[in-house]
Amino acid sequence: AQRVTQPEKLLSVFKGAPVELKCNYSYSGSPELFWYVQYSRQRLQLLLRHISRESIKGFTADLNKGETSFHLKKPFAQEEDSAMYYCALRAQEGNNRLAFGKGNQVVVIP
Amino acid sequence: GAVVSQHPSRVICKSGTSVKIECRSLDFQATTMFWYRQFPKQSLMLMATSNEGSKATYEQGVEKDKFLINHASLTLSTLTVTSAHPEDSSFYICSARDQGPNRNQPQHFGDGTRLSIL
């Protein structure tokens, strides 16, 4: 079974400070990892995915299979980064369903 | 980019009413769509996987007769909450993935439907 763990529910950081959101997963097969973001009153949208290996809005995330982690990082937080962030895992087998973590609410303090 | 349209965005109705929510992929085809439920300040919980032309696959604990899913075409899935009661009040979100040649497309989400049963 797929399982995604995001330990901290709420993260408050000052503008310009680094942000790191932790995500650990449990899955016996070959996973695909995503970070989704939900800004206030907006739909859930894809932030980045591990296979792309790109930086979006200054965020990066590296898949560490040894530690089964996919932590999200940004060196300098901006006010517009305040949002809910969800880590998600998609199984490569079966119906490719997404399993979500519980989410992190990030509040960037001006 | 790929867009998923969900309608209606908000429903308020009396207990016992059946409510239908539509999910459309606007510029791509989706043989599979997913229905989620989100409680306040909690994560998305997958309710069921909607399969075009066949029966939906429900997650454990989700009542098939309560949450009817129909996926009649490659761009439309509907979720009907039958005889809704206050405990069914929630935020329902659908998502779909472009089933084109590239199997590695991410899922795209609708805006969600806030259902309030009085």
Side-chain angles (χ1 to χ4, degrees), chain A residues 9 32 34 36 38 42-46 49 51 86 90 92 94-98 100-103, chain B residues 3-4 32 34 36 38 41-44 46 49 59 91 97 103-111:
Chain A
K9 194 138 189 174
E32 189 175 0
F34 302 83
Y36 280 85
Q38 189 173 30
Q42 294 187 29
R43 69 178 65 192
L44 203 65
Q45 54 187 286
L46 179 67
R49 54 197 300 197
I51 62 172
Y86 295 94
R90 182 166 76 189
Q92 300 281 34
N95 67 1
N96 301 137
R97 48 182 279 185
L98 270 182
F100 285 88
K102 290 189 176 182
Chain B
V3 176
V4 173
T32 304
F34 302 89
Y36 294 86
Q38 186 179 31
K41 301 191 178 182
Q42 294 193 29
S43 187
L44 285 75
L46 180 64
T49 303
E59 296 300 302
F91 194 55
R97 186 164 62 91
R103 273 184 57 83
N104 287 323
Q105 293 294 322
Q107 279 190 30
H108 300 281
F109 288 80
D111 279 330

mmCIF file of all heavy atoms in Angstrom, chain A residues 9 32 34 36 38 42-46 49 51 86 90 92 94-98 100-103, chain B residues 3-4 32 34 36 38 41-44 46 49 59 91 97 103-111:
data_model
loop_
_atom_site.group_PDB
_atom_site.id
_atom_site.type_symbol
_atom_site.label_atom_id
_atom_site.label_comp_id
_atom_site.label_asym_id
_atom_site.label_seq_id
_atom_site.Cartn_x
_atom_site.Cartn_y
_atom_site.Cartn_z
ATOM 1 N N LYS A 9 2.272 20.005 10.579
ATOM 2 C CA LYS A 9 1.039 20.491 9.961
ATOM 3 C C LYS A 9 1.162 21.954 9.571
ATOM 4 O O LYS A 9 0.744 22.376 8.502
ATOM 5 C CB LYS A 9 -0.114 20.297 10.934
ATOM 6 C CG LYS A 9 -1.464 20.443 10.304
ATOM 7 C CD LYS A 9 -2.417 19.392 10.807
ATOM 8 C CE LYS A 9 -3.683 19.451 9.982
ATOM 9 N NZ LYS A 9 -4.615 18.412 10.275
ATOM 10 N N GLU A 32 6.369 7.433 -8.033
ATOM 11 C CA GLU A 32 6.573 8.745 -8.630
ATOM 12 C C GLU A 32 6.078 9.759 -7.605
ATOM 13 O O GLU A 32 4.982 9.642 -7.079
ATOM 14 C CB GLU A 32 5.777 8.871 -9.931
ATOM 15 C CG GLU A 32 6.128 10.124 -10.704
ATOM 16 C CD GLU A 32 5.437 10.207 -12.041
ATOM 17 O OE1 GLU A 32 4.678 9.273 -12.379
ATOM 18 O OE2 GLU A 32 5.640 11.214 -12.736
ATOM 19 N N PHE A 34 5.327 13.717 -6.145
ATOM 20 C CA PHE A 34 4.888 15.043 -6.545
ATOM 21 C C PHE A 34 4.752 15.940 -5.321
ATOM 22 O O PHE A 34 4.518 15.466 -4.208
ATOM 23 C CB PHE A 34 3.489 14.990 -7.192
ATOM 24 C CG PHE A 34 3.376 14.097 -8.388
ATOM 25 C CD1 PHE A 34 3.180 12.730 -8.237
ATOM 26 C CD2 PHE A 34 3.427 14.613 -9.669
ATOM 27 C CE1 PHE A 34 3.051 11.895 -9.342
ATOM 28 C CE2 PHE A 34 3.297 13.792 -10.779
ATOM 29 C CZ PHE A 34 3.111 12.438 -10.604
ATOM 30 N N TYR A 36 2.166 19.119 -4.613
ATOM 31 C CA TYR A 36 1.068 19.954 -5.071
ATOM 32 C C TYR A 36 0.914 21.122 -4.101
ATOM 33 O O TYR A 36 1.180 21.002 -2.906
ATOM 34 C CB TYR A 36 -0.245 19.160 -5.106
ATOM 35 C CG TYR A 36 -0.403 18.290 -6.332
ATOM 36 C CD1 TYR A 36 0.144 17.007 -6.379
ATOM 37 C CD2 TYR A 36 -1.098 18.746 -7.448
ATOM 38 C CE1 TYR A 36 -0.007 16.208 -7.502
ATOM 39 C CE2 TYR A 36 -1.245 17.950 -8.574
ATOM 40 C CZ TYR A 36 -0.694 16.692 -8.591
ATOM 41 O OH TYR A 36 -0.848 15.904 -9.714
ATOM 42 N N GLN A 38 -1.743 24.425 -2.892
ATOM 43 C CA GLN A 38 -3.098 24.979 -2.936
ATOM 44 C C GLN A 38 -3.071 26.346 -2.279
ATOM 45 O O GLN A 38 -2.985 26.455 -1.042
ATOM 46 C CB GLN A 38 -4.071 24.049 -2.228
ATOM 47 C CG GLN A 38 -5.528 24.423 -2.406
ATOM 48 C CD GLN A 38 -6.468 23.366 -1.836
ATOM 49 O OE1 GLN A 38 -6.140 22.665 -0.886
ATOM 50 N NE2 GLN A 38 -7.652 23.246 -2.419
ATOM 51 N N GLN A 42 -7.969 28.697 -4.181
ATOM 52 C CA GLN A 42 -7.651 28.222 -5.522
ATOM 53 C C GLN A 42 -7.607 26.702 -5.539
ATOM 54 O O GLN A 42 -7.600 26.045 -4.506
ATOM 55 C CB GLN A 42 -6.306 28.783 -5.992
ATOM 56 C CG GLN A 42 -6.312 30.285 -6.179
ATOM 57 C CD GLN A 42 -5.024 30.772 -6.810
ATOM 58 O OE1 GLN A 42 -4.374 30.055 -7.564
ATOM 59 N NE2 GLN A 42 -4.659 32.004 -6.520
ATOM 60 N N ARG A 43 -7.591 26.161 -6.741
ATOM 61 C CA ARG A 43 -7.559 24.717 -6.877
ATOM 62 C C ARG A 43 -6.161 24.177 -6.587
ATOM 63 O O ARG A 43 -5.170 24.906 -6.607
ATOM 64 C CB ARG A 43 -7.959 24.314 -8.296
ATOM 65 C CG ARG A 43 -6.946 24.685 -9.370
ATOM 66 C CD ARG A 43 -7.412 24.197 -10.728
ATOM 67 N NE ARG A 43 -8.623 24.869 -11.156
ATOM 68 C CZ ARG A 43 -9.355 24.472 -12.197
ATOM 69 N NH1 ARG A 43 -8.994 23.408 -12.884
ATOM 70 N NH2 ARG A 43 -10.447 25.113 -12.537
ATOM 71 N N LEU A 44 -6.128 22.909 -6.325
ATOM 72 C CA LEU A 44 -4.858 22.225 -6.134
ATOM 73 C C LEU A 44 -4.103 22.220 -7.463
ATOM 74 O O LEU A 44 -4.671 21.923 -8.507
ATOM 75 C CB LEU A 44 -5.141 20.791 -5.716
ATOM 76 C CG LEU A 44 -4.072 20.027 -4.947
ATOM 77 C CD1 LEU A 44 -3.840 20.655 -3.599
ATOM 78 C CD2 LEU A 44 -4.502 18.577 -4.777
ATOM 79 N N GLN A 45 -2.842 22.571 -7.435
ATOM 80 C CA GLN A 45 -2.076 22.581 -8.675
ATOM 81 C C GLN A 45 -0.701 21.968 -8.463
ATOM 82 O O GLN A 45 -0.137 22.018 -7.372
ATOM 83 C CB GLN A 45 -1.947 24.005 -9.233
ATOM 84 C CG GLN A 45 -1.388 25.025 -8.273
ATOM 85 C CD GLN A 45 -1.446 26.424 -8.841
ATOM 86 O OE1 GLN A 45 -0.674 26.772 -9.718
ATOM 87 N NE2 GLN A 45 -2.360 27.232 -8.336
ATOM 88 N N LEU A 46 -0.196 21.392 -9.516
ATOM 89 C CA LEU A 46 1.101 20.736 -9.444
ATOM 90 C C LEU A 46 2.206 21.770 -9.263
ATOM 91 O O LEU A 46 2.260 22.759 -9.991
ATOM 92 C CB LEU A 46 1.347 19.938 -10.716
ATOM 93 C CG LEU A 46 2.679 19.210 -10.816
ATOM 94 C CD1 LEU A 46 2.750 18.100 -9.782
ATOM 95 C CD2 LEU A 46 2.888 18.659 -12.216
ATOM 96 N N ARG A 49 7.544 17.696 -9.720
ATOM 97 C CA ARG A 49 7.544 16.241 -9.677
ATOM 98 C C ARG A 49 8.973 15.754 -9.780
ATOM 99 O O ARG A 49 9.809 16.438 -10.387
ATOM 100 C CB ARG A 49 6.700 15.689 -10.815
ATOM 101 C CG ARG A 49 7.110 16.222 -12.174
ATOM 102 C CD ARG A 49 6.064 16.011 -13.247
ATOM 103 N NE ARG A 49 5.740 14.628 -13.476
ATOM 104 C CZ ARG A 49 5.120 14.185 -14.566
ATOM 105 N NH1 ARG A 49 4.779 15.045 -15.522
ATOM 106 N NH2 ARG A 49 4.813 12.916 -14.694
ATOM 107 N N ILE A 51 10.462 13.437 -11.418
ATOM 108 C CA ILE A 51 11.074 13.041 -12.682
ATOM 109 C C ILE A 51 11.498 14.262 -13.502
ATOM 110 O O ILE A 51 12.305 14.143 -14.414
ATOM 111 C CB ILE A 51 10.151 12.146 -13.520
ATOM 112 C CG1 ILE A 51 8.865 12.888 -13.911
ATOM 113 C CG2 ILE A 51 9.831 10.873 -12.757
ATOM 114 C CD1 ILE A 51 8.026 12.099 -14.900
ATOM 115 N N TYR A 86 1.023 19.778 -0.431
ATOM 116 C CA TYR A 86 0.754 18.354 -0.287
ATOM 117 C C TYR A 86 1.786 17.546 -1.055
ATOM 118 O O TYR A 86 2.028 17.788 -2.231
ATOM 119 C CB TYR A 86 -0.630 17.995 -0.835
ATOM 120 C CG TYR A 86 -1.783 18.600 -0.083
ATOM 121 C CD1 TYR A 86 -2.353 19.796 -0.493
ATOM 122 C CD2 TYR A 86 -2.303 17.961 1.038
ATOM 123 C CE1 TYR A 86 -3.410 20.356 0.193
ATOM 124 C CE2 TYR A 86 -3.370 18.519 1.734
ATOM 125 C CZ TYR A 86 -3.923 19.713 1.304
ATOM 126 O OH TYR A 86 -4.972 20.262 1.987
ATOM 127 N N ARG A 90 2.502 8.497 -6.552
ATOM 128 C CA ARG A 90 1.714 7.754 -7.533
ATOM 129 C C ARG A 90 2.422 6.449 -7.828
ATOM 130 O O ARG A 90 3.610 6.434 -8.155
ATOM 131 C CB ARG A 90 1.536 8.553 -8.817
ATOM 132 C CG ARG A 90 0.684 7.833 -9.857
ATOM 133 C CD ARG A 90 0.242 8.755 -10.969
ATOM 134 N NE ARG A 90 1.302 9.044 -11.914
ATOM 135 C CZ ARG A 90 1.202 9.967 -12.882
ATOM 136 N NH1 ARG A 90 0.096 10.677 -12.997
ATOM 137 N NH2 ARG A 90 2.188 10.174 -13.723
ATOM 138 N N GLN A 92 3.389 3.328 -10.019
ATOM 139 C CA GLN A 92 3.556 3.130 -11.447
ATOM 140 C C GLN A 92 2.710 1.979 -11.943
ATOM 141 O O GLN A 92 2.486 1.837 -13.138
ATOM 142 C CB GLN A 92 5.037 2.843 -11.769
ATOM 143 C CG GLN A 92 5.984 3.956 -11.365
ATOM 144 C CD GLN A 92 5.988 5.107 -12.354
ATOM 145 O OE1 GLN A 92 4.969 5.438 -12.966
ATOM 146 N NE2 GLN A 92 7.120 5.738 -12.508
ATOM 147 N N GLY A 94 -0.902 -0.577 -11.567
ATOM 148 C CA GLY A 94 -2.320 -0.444 -11.262
ATOM 149 C C GLY A 94 -2.945 0.753 -11.933
ATOM 150 O O GLY A 94 -2.624 1.089 -13.066
ATOM 151 N N ASN A 95 -3.831 1.437 -11.226
ATOM 152 C CA ASN A 95 -4.553 2.545 -11.841
ATOM 153 C C ASN A 95 -3.866 3.889 -11.648
ATOM 154 O O ASN A 95 -4.464 4.927 -11.882
ATOM 155 C CB ASN A 95 -5.984 2.608 -11.297
ATOM 156 C CG ASN A 95 -6.050 2.965 -9.836
ATOM 157 O OD1 ASN A 95 -5.022 3.187 -9.198
ATOM 158 N ND2 ASN A 95 -7.245 3.031 -9.293
ATOM 159 N N ASN A 96 -2.621 3.865 -11.217
ATOM 160 C CA ASN A 96 -1.850 5.098 -11.050
ATOM 161 C C ASN A 96 -2.492 6.086 -10.087
ATOM 162 O O ASN A 96 -2.377 7.291 -10.265
ATOM 163 C CB ASN A 96 -1.636 5.790 -12.405
ATOM 164 C CG ASN A 96 -0.900 4.904 -13.381
ATOM 165 O OD1 ASN A 96 -1.261 4.826 -14.552
ATOM 166 N ND2 ASN A 96 0.114 4.207 -12.922
ATOM 167 N N ARG A 97 -3.156 5.597 -9.089
ATOM 168 C CA ARG A 97 -3.813 6.489 -8.147
ATOM 169 C C ARG A 97 -2.782 7.268 -7.345
ATOM 170 O O ARG A 97 -1.683 6.805 -7.090
ATOM 171 C CB ARG A 97 -4.685 5.678 -7.198
ATOM 172 C CG ARG A 97 -3.972 4.485 -6.625
ATOM 173 C CD ARG A 97 -4.838 3.676 -5.737
ATOM 174 N NE ARG A 97 -4.924 4.250 -4.400
ATOM 175 C CZ ARG A 97 -5.543 3.685 -3.397
ATOM 176 N NH1 ARG A 97 -6.167 2.558 -3.575
ATOM 177 N NH2 ARG A 97 -5.588 4.262 -2.221
ATOM 178 N N LEU A 98 -3.179 8.475 -6.941
ATOM 179 C CA LEU A 98 -2.322 9.325 -6.123
ATOM 180 C C LEU A 98 -2.691 9.154 -4.658
ATOM 181 O O LEU A 98 -3.869 9.175 -4.302
ATOM 182 C CB LEU A 98 -2.535 10.790 -6.479
ATOM 183 C CG LEU A 98 -1.694 11.448 -7.570
ATOM 184 C CD1 LEU A 98 -2.080 12.910 -7.688
ATOM 185 C CD2 LEU A 98 -0.213 11.313 -7.280
ATOM 186 N N PHE A 100 -2.054 11.035 -1.047
ATOM 187 C CA PHE A 100 -1.603 12.319 -0.535
ATOM 188 C C PHE A 100 -1.177 12.231 0.921
ATOM 189 O O PHE A 100 -1.730 11.454 1.705
ATOM 190 C CB PHE A 100 -2.725 13.352 -0.632
ATOM 191 C CG PHE A 100 -2.968 13.856 -2.020
ATOM 192 C CD1 PHE A 100 -3.838 13.195 -2.869
ATOM 193 C CD2 PHE A 100 -2.329 14.990 -2.483
ATOM 194 C CE1 PHE A 100 -4.050 13.648 -4.155
ATOM 195 C CE2 PHE A 100 -2.550 15.462 -3.771
ATOM 196 C CZ PHE A 100 -3.407 14.784 -4.604
ATOM 197 N N GLY A 101 -0.225 13.071 1.274
ATOM 198 C CA GLY A 101 0.073 13.294 2.670
ATOM 199 C C GLY A 101 -0.967 14.225 3.262
ATOM 200 O O GLY A 101 -1.844 14.725 2.545
ATOM 201 N N LYS A 102 -0.859 14.482 4.549
ATOM 202 C CA LYS A 102 -1.864 15.300 5.219
ATOM 203 C C LYS A 102 -1.712 16.784 4.932
ATOM 204 O O LYS A 102 -2.603 17.573 5.244
ATOM 205 C CB LYS A 102 -1.808 15.059 6.722
ATOM 206 C CG LYS A 102 -2.302 13.677 7.103
ATOM 207 C CD LYS A 102 -2.447 13.522 8.601
ATOM 208 C CE LYS A 102 -3.050 12.156 8.906
ATOM 209 N NZ LYS A 102 -3.259 11.963 10.362
ATOM 210 N N GLY A 103 -0.612 17.165 4.353
ATOM 211 C CA GLY A 103 -0.429 18.557 3.971
ATOM 212 C C GLY A 103 0.294 19.379 5.016
ATOM 213 O O GLY A 103 0.277 19.064 6.213
ATOM 214 N N VAL B 3 -6.955 21.389 -18.368
ATOM 215 C CA VAL B 3 -7.907 21.996 -17.438
ATOM 216 C C VAL B 3 -9.006 21.012 -17.107
ATOM 217 O O VAL B 3 -9.539 20.331 -17.983
ATOM 218 C CB VAL B 3 -8.523 23.277 -18.044
ATOM 219 C CG1 VAL B 3 -9.593 23.845 -17.113
ATOM 220 C CG2 VAL B 3 -7.455 24.317 -18.301
ATOM 221 N N VAL B 4 -9.323 20.954 -15.827
ATOM 222 C CA VAL B 4 -10.436 20.140 -15.356
ATOM 223 C C VAL B 4 -11.497 21.080 -14.810
ATOM 224 O O VAL B 4 -11.207 21.920 -13.951
ATOM 225 C CB VAL B 4 -9.974 19.151 -14.264
ATOM 226 C CG1 VAL B 4 -11.167 18.423 -13.664
ATOM 227 C CG2 VAL B 4 -8.978 18.159 -14.841
ATOM 228 N N THR B 32 -9.628 7.692 -17.117
ATOM 229 C CA THR B 32 -9.719 7.537 -15.662
ATOM 230 C C THR B 32 -9.811 8.905 -15.004
ATOM 231 O O THR B 32 -9.038 9.798 -15.307
ATOM 232 C CB THR B 32 -8.480 6.807 -15.112
ATOM 233 O OG1 THR B 32 -8.333 5.549 -15.775
ATOM 234 C CG2 THR B 32 -8.613 6.572 -13.622
ATOM 235 N N PHE B 34 -10.615 10.695 -10.951
ATOM 236 C CA PHE B 34 -10.561 10.364 -9.536
ATOM 237 C C PHE B 34 -11.441 11.330 -8.750
ATOM 238 O O PHE B 34 -11.470 12.522 -9.023
ATOM 239 C CB PHE B 34 -9.117 10.457 -9.023
ATOM 240 C CG PHE B 34 -8.155 9.574 -9.753
ATOM 241 C CD1 PHE B 34 -7.491 10.034 -10.889
ATOM 242 C CD2 PHE B 34 -7.905 8.284 -9.323
ATOM 243 C CE1 PHE B 34 -6.600 9.218 -11.579
ATOM 244 C CE2 PHE B 34 -7.014 7.466 -10.001
ATOM 245 C CZ PHE B 34 -6.366 7.930 -11.128
ATOM 246 N N TYR B 36 -12.181 12.797 -4.939
ATOM 247 C CA TYR B 36 -11.632 12.941 -3.607
ATOM 248 C C TYR B 36 -12.628 13.682 -2.721
ATOM 249 O O TYR B 36 -13.478 14.440 -3.183
ATOM 250 C CB TYR B 36 -10.331 13.750 -3.635
ATOM 251 C CG TYR B 36 -9.180 13.092 -4.356
ATOM 252 C CD1 TYR B 36 -9.026 13.219 -5.735
ATOM 253 C CD2 TYR B 36 -8.225 12.367 -3.659
ATOM 254 C CE1 TYR B 36 -7.968 12.626 -6.393
ATOM 255 C CE2 TYR B 36 -7.151 11.775 -4.319
ATOM 256 C CZ TYR B 36 -7.035 11.908 -5.676
ATOM 257 O OH TYR B 36 -5.988 11.328 -6.329
ATOM 258 N N GLN B 38 -12.446 16.125 0.841
ATOM 259 C CA GLN B 38 -11.520 16.829 1.718
ATOM 260 C C GLN B 38 -12.287 17.465 2.851
ATOM 261 O O GLN B 38 -13.168 18.310 2.624
ATOM 262 C CB GLN B 38 -10.753 17.901 0.938
ATOM 263 C CG GLN B 38 -9.664 18.596 1.733
ATOM 264 C CD GLN B 38 -8.907 19.630 0.896
ATOM 265 O OE1 GLN B 38 -9.459 20.240 -0.004
ATOM 266 N NE2 GLN B 38 -7.639 19.818 1.214
ATOM 267 N N LYS B 41 -9.221 21.473 6.740
ATOM 268 C CA LYS B 41 -7.847 21.404 7.236
ATOM 269 C C LYS B 41 -7.294 19.988 7.252
ATOM 270 O O LYS B 41 -6.418 19.668 8.061
ATOM 271 C CB LYS B 41 -7.750 22.048 8.619
ATOM 272 C CG LYS B 41 -8.188 23.491 8.617
ATOM 273 C CD LYS B 41 -7.842 24.202 9.901
ATOM 274 C CE LYS B 41 -8.278 25.659 9.804
ATOM 275 N NZ LYS B 41 -7.929 26.434 10.991
ATOM 276 N N GLN B 42 -7.813 19.157 6.373
ATOM 277 C CA GLN B 42 -7.288 17.798 6.266
ATOM 278 C C GLN B 42 -6.913 17.497 4.821
ATOM 279 O O GLN B 42 -7.175 18.281 3.920
ATOM 280 C CB GLN B 42 -8.318 16.788 6.782
ATOM 281 C CG GLN B 42 -8.595 16.921 8.262
ATOM 282 C CD GLN B 42 -9.349 15.730 8.799
ATOM 283 O OE1 GLN B 42 -9.232 14.617 8.291
ATOM 284 N NE2 GLN B 42 -10.126 15.953 9.843
ATOM 285 N N SER B 43 -6.319 16.346 4.647
ATOM 286 C CA SER B 43 -5.828 16.003 3.323
ATOM 287 C C SER B 43 -6.953 15.496 2.428
ATOM 288 O O SER B 43 -8.087 15.317 2.859
ATOM 289 C CB SER B 43 -4.750 14.939 3.441
ATOM 290 O OG SER B 43 -4.157 14.706 2.191
ATOM 291 N N LEU B 44 -6.617 15.278 1.174
ATOM 292 C CA LEU B 44 -7.575 14.717 0.238
ATOM 293 C C LEU B 44 -7.624 13.206 0.438
ATOM 294 O O LEU B 44 -6.591 12.542 0.463
ATOM 295 C CB LEU B 44 -7.147 14.997 -1.210
ATOM 296 C CG LEU B 44 -7.335 16.406 -1.733
ATOM 297 C CD1 LEU B 44 -6.299 17.357 -1.189
ATOM 298 C CD2 LEU B 44 -7.307 16.411 -3.253
ATOM 299 N N LEU B 46 -8.985 9.798 -1.237
ATOM 300 C CA LEU B 46 -9.526 9.234 -2.468
ATOM 301 C C LEU B 46 -10.775 8.426 -2.141
ATOM 302 O O LEU B 46 -10.751 7.556 -1.268
ATOM 303 C CB LEU B 46 -8.485 8.339 -3.135
ATOM 304 C CG LEU B 46 -8.905 7.677 -4.440
ATOM 305 C CD1 LEU B 46 -9.159 8.725 -5.529
ATOM 306 C CD2 LEU B 46 -7.840 6.690 -4.910
ATOM 307 N N THR B 49 -12.188 5.648 -8.025
ATOM 308 C CA THR B 49 -11.581 5.850 -9.343
ATOM 309 C C THR B 49 -12.658 5.582 -10.374
ATOM 310 O O THR B 49 -13.265 4.500 -10.394
ATOM 311 C CB THR B 49 -10.400 4.903 -9.540
ATOM 312 O OG1 THR B 49 -9.458 5.121 -8.487
ATOM 313 C CG2 THR B 49 -9.727 5.145 -10.876
ATOM 314 N N GLU B 59 -12.877 3.019 -2.882
ATOM 315 C CA GLU B 59 -11.942 2.771 -1.796
ATOM 316 C C GLU B 59 -12.684 2.137 -0.620
ATOM 317 O O GLU B 59 -13.909 2.254 -0.485
ATOM 318 C CB GLU B 59 -11.276 4.065 -1.347
ATOM 319 C CG GLU B 59 -10.405 4.695 -2.420
ATOM 320 C CD GLU B 59 -9.276 3.785 -2.858
ATOM 321 O OE1 GLU B 59 -8.465 3.378 -2.004
ATOM 322 O OE2 GLU B 59 -9.202 3.481 -4.075
ATOM 323 N N PHE B 91 -16.067 18.897 1.038
ATOM 324 C CA PHE B 91 -15.520 19.470 -0.196
ATOM 325 C C PHE B 91 -15.125 18.295 -1.083
ATOM 326 O O PHE B 91 -14.305 17.469 -0.681
ATOM 327 C CB PHE B 91 -14.313 20.342 0.157
ATOM 328 C CG PHE B 91 -13.854 21.249 -0.945
ATOM 329 C CD1 PHE B 91 -14.723 22.131 -1.551
ATOM 330 C CD2 PHE B 91 -12.532 21.244 -1.364
ATOM 331 C CE1 PHE B 91 -14.309 22.985 -2.565
ATOM 332 C CE2 PHE B 91 -12.100 22.091 -2.376
ATOM 333 C CZ PHE B 91 -12.997 22.958 -2.966
ATOM 334 N N ARG B 97 -6.309 12.721 -15.533
ATOM 335 C CA ARG B 97 -4.964 12.720 -16.113
ATOM 336 C C ARG B 97 -5.075 12.508 -17.613
ATOM 337 O O ARG B 97 -5.849 11.684 -18.074
ATOM 338 C CB ARG B 97 -4.142 11.604 -15.470
ATOM 339 C CG ARG B 97 -2.690 11.568 -15.877
ATOM 340 C CD ARG B 97 -1.900 10.712 -14.907
ATOM 341 N NE ARG B 97 -2.359 9.336 -14.900
ATOM 342 C CZ ARG B 97 -1.871 8.374 -15.683
ATOM 343 N NH1 ARG B 97 -0.921 8.635 -16.535
ATOM 344 N NH2 ARG B 97 -2.347 7.155 -15.597
ATOM 345 N N ARG B 103 2.519 8.497 -20.780
ATOM 346 C CA ARG B 103 1.830 7.994 -19.587
ATOM 347 C C ARG B 103 2.243 8.715 -18.329
ATOM 348 O O ARG B 103 1.680 8.513 -17.290
ATOM 349 C CB ARG B 103 2.103 6.495 -19.441
ATOM 350 C CG ARG B 103 1.141 5.620 -20.201
ATOM 351 C CD ARG B 103 1.434 4.166 -19.916
ATOM 352 N NE ARG B 103 1.386 3.831 -18.513
ATOM 353 C CZ ARG B 103 0.295 3.560 -17.844
ATOM 354 N NH1 ARG B 103 -0.870 3.630 -18.430
ATOM 355 N NH2 ARG B 103 0.342 3.242 -16.575
ATOM 356 N N ASN B 104 3.246 9.555 -18.427
ATOM 357 C CA ASN B 104 3.736 10.207 -17.216
ATOM 358 C C ASN B 104 3.113 11.568 -16.976
ATOM 359 O O ASN B 104 3.686 12.401 -16.305
ATOM 360 C CB ASN B 104 5.258 10.347 -17.296
ATOM 361 C CG ASN B 104 5.937 9.017 -17.100
ATOM 362 O OD1 ASN B 104 5.491 8.200 -16.311
ATOM 363 N ND2 ASN B 104 7.009 8.789 -17.830
ATOM 364 N N GLN B 105 1.967 11.825 -17.504
ATOM 365 C CA GLN B 105 1.284 13.088 -17.255
ATOM 366 C C GLN B 105 0.826 13.160 -15.800
ATOM 367 O O GLN B 105 0.391 12.182 -15.219
ATOM 368 C CB GLN B 105 0.052 13.209 -18.173
ATOM 369 C CG GLN B 105 0.377 13.333 -19.644
ATOM 370 C CD GLN B 105 1.093 14.625 -19.950
ATOM 371 O OE1 GLN B 105 0.792 15.663 -19.384
ATOM 372 N NE2 GLN B 105 2.050 14.558 -20.846
ATOM 373 N N PRO B 106 0.933 14.342 -15.192
ATOM 374 C CA PRO B 106 0.446 14.487 -13.826
ATOM 375 C C PRO B 106 -1.072 14.604 -13.796
ATOM 376 O O PRO B 106 -1.705 14.811 -14.821
ATOM 377 C CB PRO B 106 1.088 15.800 -13.376
ATOM 378 C CG PRO B 106 1.218 16.591 -14.640
ATOM 379 C CD PRO B 106 1.526 15.588 -15.726
ATOM 380 N N GLN B 107 -1.641 14.477 -12.621
ATOM 381 C CA GLN B 107 -3.082 14.681 -12.465
ATOM 382 C C GLN B 107 -3.388 16.173 -12.370
ATOM 383 O O GLN B 107 -2.627 16.933 -11.779
ATOM 384 C CB GLN B 107 -3.577 13.996 -11.187
ATOM 385 C CG GLN B 107 -3.804 12.513 -11.342
ATOM 386 C CD GLN B 107 -4.506 11.931 -10.139
ATOM 387 O OE1 GLN B 107 -5.281 12.595 -9.470
ATOM 388 N NE2 GLN B 107 -4.236 10.651 -9.864
ATOM 389 N N HIS B 108 -4.521 16.539 -12.949
ATOM 390 C CA HIS B 108 -4.984 17.918 -12.869
ATOM 391 C C HIS B 108 -6.292 17.934 -12.095
ATOM 392 O O HIS B 108 -7.119 17.024 -12.235
ATOM 393 C CB HIS B 108 -5.181 18.491 -14.269
ATOM 394 C CG HIS B 108 -3.919 18.491 -15.072
ATOM 395 N ND1 HIS B 108 -2.940 19.437 -14.905
ATOM 396 C CD2 HIS B 108 -3.459 17.628 -16.012
ATOM 397 C CE1 HIS B 108 -1.932 19.165 -15.724
ATOM 398 N NE2 HIS B 108 -2.221 18.081 -16.400
ATOM 399 N N PHE B 109 -6.484 18.965 -11.293
ATOM 400 C CA PHE B 109 -7.602 18.995 -10.369
ATOM 401 C C PHE B 109 -8.630 20.050 -10.746
ATOM 402 O O PHE B 109 -8.293 21.106 -11.282
ATOM 403 C CB PHE B 109 -7.092 19.260 -8.947
ATOM 404 C CG PHE B 109 -6.366 18.087 -8.366
ATOM 405 C CD1 PHE B 109 -5.044 17.833 -8.696
ATOM 406 C CD2 PHE B 109 -7.019 17.219 -7.517
ATOM 407 C CE1 PHE B 109 -4.378 16.729 -8.189
ATOM 408 C CE2 PHE B 109 -6.365 16.108 -6.994
ATOM 409 C CZ PHE B 109 -5.052 15.864 -7.331
ATOM 410 N N GLY B 110 -9.875 19.728 -10.419
ATOM 411 C CA GLY B 110 -10.941 20.697 -10.551
ATOM 412 C C GLY B 110 -10.921 21.652 -9.369
ATOM 413 O O GLY B 110 -10.148 21.488 -8.423
ATOM 414 N N ASP B 111 -11.793 22.649 -9.424
ATOM 415 C CA ASP B 111 -11.863 23.646 -8.360
ATOM 416 C C ASP B 111 -12.550 23.117 -7.108
ATOM 417 O O ASP B 111 -12.486 23.730 -6.055
ATOM 418 C CB ASP B 111 -12.620 24.884 -8.833
ATOM 419 C CG ASP B 111 -11.740 25.810 -9.650
ATOM 420 O OD1 ASP B 111 -10.523 25.828 -9.386
ATOM 421 O OD2 ASP B 111 -12.257 26.498 -10.539
#
